[in-house]
Amino acid sequence: MKKGWWRSTAVGTGMAFAITLATLEPGMALAQDAPGVSANAGDIDLDALLARMTVQEKLGQLVQRAAGGEQSLNSNMKEDELAAIRSGSIGSYLNGGGAAELREYQRIAVEESRLGIPLLFAMDVIHGYRTIFPVPLGMAASFDPSVAEDHARVAAREAAAIGVHWTFAPMVDIARDPRWGRIVEGAGEDAYLGSRMAEAQVRGFQGNDLSRSDTVMATTKHFAAYGAAEGGRDYAGAEMSEATLREVYLPPFRAAADAGSRSFMTSFNTLNGVPATGNAQLLRDILRGEWRWDGVLVSDWRSIAEMLVHGYAGDRADAGKLALEAGVDVDMVADIYAKDMVAAVRNDPALMARLDESVIRVLKAKRDLGLFADPYRYNVPAREQEWILTDENRAKARNAAEKSIVLLKNDGDLLPLAAKAGRVALIGALADDGAAQLGPWHAQGDPQDVITLRTALQKARSGVSYTPAVHVRPDGPASDIAAAVAAAAQADVVVLALGEHDRQSGEGHSRASIELSGDQLELLRAVAATGKPIVAIIMTGRPMAIPEVSELADAVLYGWYLGVEAGPALTRTLLGEVNPGAKLPASLPRTTGQVPVNYDHLPSGRPGQPDPDELSSRYIDIPVGPLYAFGYGLSYTDFEFGDAVFGAREIPAEGGSLTVSVPVTNTGKRTGDEVVQLYMRDPVASTSRPVAQLRGYKRVTLAPGETRTVTFTLSAQQFLYWKPGAGWTVDAGEIELMVGNAADAIHARATVEIIGSAAGSIEPAAIETPVEVR
């Protein structure tokens, strides 16, 4: 057996203390306790360890570099990096992978450095490591937090199998501008839905016990208001009131913090002129102060250095000081903490105290991950074969994909395709583009792992022809619309794959136009001219403007980027083996110029009117409202909502609660899912309030003829709003409650009376509404 040894400096004695280990297999504890380091990771004396550290070693714990170079996804580090590990100058790496490879770097850290402090290895595992699930915006469409939690659990196990301890997910930025490329990574436009998806992913990544070697530390990002980038341009600044920040953009972060997210990441943007990475009010006062969160705060890639470009810091040392004072613990790849902060810390006792706080937080994370007890617990090469891309993982990815597909239109019940539907013409290059289905930020996802729509549909059904016709990638062959027309003419029904390829969405990929690109509209018109029934499938990472698709297609499925099981999920939905039940997590605009078109806007003194000649809040060249609203989605069956029953019509502002119950019946002939949605409105307040705000939802499955009653329990705290000068407040007066199956499809409404007034201390959208189904 291979022997190893672990060495630490004896705390408080100045003596070198060595411990000889037997084989360092995962789960094996230290042979005996070293001073300040116990076989039980929870017993390590971090303060004593901190006292032994030099300034350079302290700063080293806050330094994160990219394994093998800034843009590398491999684990081949050069000798100068290994020397930096030996000197204790590095605390963590990102983008490295491989259980055996990372074990060697960990060995150098714990056996060849003075203090033997283990490294953290991190990676952006956003919607899967190798088993790629739907993009997060797609999973949010499921309106089912268990989908998000399952994805994170699978992703955590796969990432842990290759030696990763720390993922930079979930991304919980609320986004109302679909031009922004990174809307694909979040849960859409709503703070309540975003909060539920945020906390579910934290639970999935971290599990119930972070010391288990199949968990990873979650990083909730990007704090904060990154999704409000001006004009939807990535990295642009955000300008907003404190009320908007707290009511819309912060709740998912608060929910994640309350769920125990051990790490947060700052955002690239400025917020009201102050870069988030140096924003002490945001990071220290709100996050660490008001919320009492004490996890590891990491900068985004070079965002500390980018404060110089923002014009907020005069030099690198100034930028580092601003970040450290604001509470940023880890400097991602900018190397400012490593190279520019030694003198500043030595000469400033207050800054030294901030440094010590940050070091302790990083050491706590390493302790709680179990790395002091067993630094090699994540380095078991056999797990790479046993835990990654398993049949079970693929089944969970397929379930997530099936639950994420939104049915937008189904004229004449064209879907599901009947066995007697005849010949099917599958048209569009996206139908056979595995890379597109992986979406952006797909870690080590491989297009070869993807089962495409073409593969799955042709396997499931005979008589399916395939014509690429139009390639959306810029390096694709020329369009052949004539071939598509010929294929449609010979078919009984057309399945038309439209949308975006994966590089049209994601970080740095904002779009000025969110209409279909290239020759896709021409293709749609030409195929429609044949008169054959059309099922359009939109494959994308954002809400797109598709009014012509909605007009010309007989049925429309919004299919997102669905991951490795995209083809089977879409095929089973087309053929009726799965009944779609997802809802839009963000409204679809009619045109790019209409954005933002989020449902929870403030009322206008002159609300939009149907007549464009009437002076009202609308665009004269398009109808009022979105093409499809938040929460919208059809089914292959029908549902009927009964009258809502209220447990009370009055609720005390201090500590009060009430129930809202509504019966829902499946009046159709197929088993299906409906998402029951509860909205509120405060009609009179000290500031104008949104026309509606989601305060609860539940996805329920109903057999034909079955009725189930969904009961929501609302607390008075969920009616809080941010009052300038006063903070979180519940006012006396009426609250309108509405139940429906989309933001613009309300089936029951009533008013309740708030008795008295009260103050609060939590973002109301971050509070989960208990729901009972019976």
Side-chain angles (χ1 to χ4, degrees):
M1 294 188 295
K2 183 177 179 180
K3 300 290 183 181
W5 61 278
W6 182 92
R7 176 171 58 83
S8 177
T9 300
V11 177
T13 67
M15 298 171 53
F17 190 87
I19 298 174
T20 302
L21 294 180
T23 308
L24 278 169
E25 293 299 334
M28 183 171 289
L30 296 174
Q32 66 184 78
D33 292 348
V37 181
S38 166
N40 181 345
D43 292 341
I44 182 171
D45 188 341
L46 297 182
D47 291 325
L49 180 57
L50 179 71
R52 296 294 305 157
M53 299 173 74
T54 66
V55 171
Q56 290 91 338
E57 287 168 333
K58 290 179 181 179
L59 288 167
Q61 286 301 301
L62 313 189
V63 172
Q64 182 171 100
R65 289 184 181 166
E70 288 191 0
Q71 300 298 331
S72 175
L73 286 175
N74 62 47
S75 306
N76 300 315
M77 289 191 273
K78 298 179 180 178
E79 184 55 41
D80 59 343
E81 280 295 312
L82 302 183
I85 296 173
R86 293 185 182 98
S87 69
S89 300
I90 309 293
S92 59
Y93 280 96
L94 77 158
N95 290 350
E101 293 89 342
L102 297 188
R103 180 189 176 106
E104 173 59 16
Y105 304 137
Q106 192 73 288
R107 185 196 65 77
I108 294 171
V110 300
E111 298 182 13
E112 298 183 20
S113 69
R114 188 177 77 90
L115 296 177
I117 300 173
L119 294 165
L120 284 173
F121 293 102
M123 182 178 286
D124 286 279
V125 184
I126 308 299
H127 57 113
Y129 170 72
R130 183 69 183 273
T131 305
I132 305 302
F133 279 63
V135 290
L137 186 62
M139 284 188 282
S142 73
F143 275 68
D144 185 347
S146 70
V147 167
E149 186 168 348
D150 282 350
H151 132 257
R153 186 84 292 276
V154 169
R157 282 178 59 83
E158 291 196 349
I162 63 147
V164 168
H165 313 122
W166 185 7
T167 180
F168 297 139
M171 192 277 242
V172 304
D173 297 296
I174 296 300
R176 273 94 188 280
D177 193 331
R179 293 174 297 182
W180 189 51
R182 298 195 81 168
I183 193 173
V184 65
E185 293 177 56
E189 71 184 43
D190 182 71
Y192 184 87
L193 176 62
S195 295
R196 305 290 75 77
M197 294 297 167
E199 60 198 13
Q201 290 178 82
V202 170
R203 290 193 300 265
F205 284 127
Q206 296 185 171
N208 296 322
D209 181 0
L210 193 61
S211 69
R212 288 173 54 97
S213 59
D214 64 349
T215 66
V216 294
M217 184 165 69
T219 303
T220 302
K221 65 182 186 183
H222 307 82
F223 198 70
Y226 185 35
E230 183 180 32
R233 297 187 310 277
D234 209 353
Y235 316 121
E239 297 284 329
M240 67 181 62
S241 68
E242 185 174 11
T244 298
L245 173 69
R246 289 181 177 270
E247 292 186 9
V248 176
Y249 292 92
L250 293 189
F253 292 96
R254 178 63 183 270
D258 289 349
S261 179
R262 293 299 303 271
S263 177
F264 268 55
M265 182 185 290
T266 66
S267 53
F268 287 115
N269 57 287
T270 59
L271 175 59
N272 298 330
V274 180
T277 303
N279 193 322
Q281 180 183 12
L282 187 65
L283 306 181
R284 189 166 292 282
D285 295 349
I286 296 177
L287 178 60
R288 296 204 187 277
E290 293 179 24
W291 297 358
R292 301 184 182 278
W293 180 83
D294 196 35
V296 175
L297 183 59
V298 59
S299 77
D300 207 336
W301 186 281
R302 288 189 174 277
S303 67
I304 295 180
E306 288 181 9
M307 286 196 284
L308 278 74
V309 186
H310 283 300
Y312 191 68
D315 55 34
R316 285 172 58 89
D318 186 26
K321 182 179 179 181
L322 286 166
L324 192 58
E325 287 179 336
V328 177
D329 300 318
V330 176
D331 173 7
M332 185 190 290
V333 308
D335 256 5
I336 285 179
Y337 283 0
K339 297 178 179 178
D340 301 275
M341 293 294 290
V342 174
V345 169
R346 282 178 172 163
N347 296 327
D348 186 342
L351 196 61
M352 178 69 81
R354 294 301 192 199
L355 172 61
D356 287 350
E357 291 172 1
S358 288
V359 174
I360 286 293
R361 285 191 284 263
V362 172
L363 294 177
K364 283 181 178 178
K366 294 180 177 184
R367 177 199 66 191
D368 294 349
L369 282 161
L371 298 179
F372 282 106
D374 178 1
Y376 307 113
R377 61 203 315 275
Y378 282 73
N379 303 109
V380 185
R383 292 175 180 167
E384 294 181 346
Q385 298 299 320
E386 296 168 359
W387 289 6
I388 294 176
L389 202 66
T390 64
D391 290 344
E392 181 183 2
N393 291 356
R394 293 195 74 121
K396 289 183 177 180
R398 184 173 64 251
N399 176 68
E402 290 170 353
K403 285 193 168 184
S404 301
I405 297 168
V406 185
L407 178 63
L408 296 180
K409 182 181 179 181
N410 194 22
D411 282 2
D413 291 333
L414 177 60
L415 291 177
L417 296 177
K420 60 183 180 181
R423 297 163 297 180
V424 176
L426 178 60
I427 298 173
L430 285 172
D432 201 34
D433 189 336
Q437 290 301 327
L438 295 175
W441 284 117
H442 54 254
Q444 293 301 295
D446 187 339
Q448 297 303 312
D449 297 333
V450 177
I451 303 173
T452 66
L453 174 58
R454 177 194 181 184
T455 298
L457 188 57
Q458 289 185 330
K459 179 181 179 180
R461 184 171 182 144
S462 60
V464 178
S465 65
Y466 170 66
T467 308
V470 170
H471 295 262
V472 295
R473 295 185 183 276
D475 56 353
S479 298
D480 188 353
I481 294 176
V485 170
Q490 296 174 15
D492 298 295
V493 64
V494 175
V495 175
L496 188 58
L498 303 168
E500 303 175 306
H501 63 78
D502 52 298
R503 297 296 292 168
Q504 289 180 292
S505 182
E507 183 174 356
H509 289 79
S510 298
R511 293 185 60 193
S513 168
I514 55 172
E515 280 78 17
L516 292 171
S517 62
D519 296 330
Q520 292 184 92
L521 280 177
E522 183 181 349
L523 172 65
L524 170 67
R525 294 163 186 155
V527 171
T530 67
K532 297 301 176 71
I534 297 174
V535 179
I537 301 176
I538 308 300
M539 301 174 175
T540 180
R542 58 162 49 86
M544 298 190 72
I546 54 167
E548 205 160 350
V549 176
S550 182
E551 177 187 355
L552 296 179
D554 300 275
V556 182
L557 290 171
Y558 216 78
W560 316 103
Y561 303 129
L562 290 176
V564 293
E565 290 288 318
L570 287 167
T571 295
R572 282 165 51 82
T573 302
L574 288 169
L575 301 183
E577 297 171 38
V578 171
N579 189 347
K583 305 287 185 176
L584 290 175
S587 305
L588 299 192
R590 298 176 185 275
T591 179
T592 303
Q594 193 185 23
V595 303
V597 68
N598 50 287
Y599 81 94
D600 56 341
H601 58 83
L602 295 178
S604 167
R606 296 185 178 185
Q609 300 299 317
D611 183 356
D613 290 330
E614 186 173 348
L615 300 181
S616 68
S617 182
R618 60 160 298 161
Y619 298 99
I620 63 172
D621 50 349
I622 57 173
V624 175
L627 182 65
Y628 295 107
F630 173 86
Y632 175 85
L634 302 175
S635 170
Y636 295 157
T637 190
D638 298 303
F639 300 96
E640 183 178 282
F641 283 63
D643 294 333
V645 176
F646 293 80
R649 287 302 180 101
E650 293 183 347
I651 175 173
E654 191 71 53
S657 65
L658 63 81
T659 59
V660 182
S661 300
V662 60
V664 183
T665 302
N666 182 345
T667 59
K669 298 179 180 180
R670 292 175 176 269
T671 296
D673 289 2
E674 179 61 290
V675 178
V676 182
Q677 302 163 41
L678 174 65
Y679 296 87
M680 65 153 284
R681 182 188 175 215
D682 189 345
V684 179
S686 62
T687 61
S688 184
R689 305 299 302 143
V691 297
Q693 293 175 290
L694 186 68
R695 281 296 179 267
Y697 66 84
K698 184 65 177 180
R699 182 166 176 162
V700 294
T701 301
L702 297 171
E706 183 181 11
T707 298
R708 302 188 77 184
T709 298
V710 180
T711 299
F712 301 93
T713 301
L714 286 165
S715 71
Q717 291 282 291
Q718 290 172 287
F719 305 133
L720 288 165
Y721 71 99
W722 186 262
K723 181 185 290 188
W728 293 114
T729 303
V730 177
D731 287 338
E734 289 187 348
I735 295 290
E736 184 178 6
L737 297 176
M738 302 161 279
V739 180
N741 58 355
D744 64 349
I746 301 301
H747 303 292
R749 67 178 73 220
T751 58
V752 297
E753 185 83 11
I754 304 294
I755 306 301
S757 61
S761 61
I762 186 170
E763 293 72 8
I767 303 171
E768 183 175 9
T769 301
V771 186
E772 179 184 359
V773 181
R774 63 182 193 278

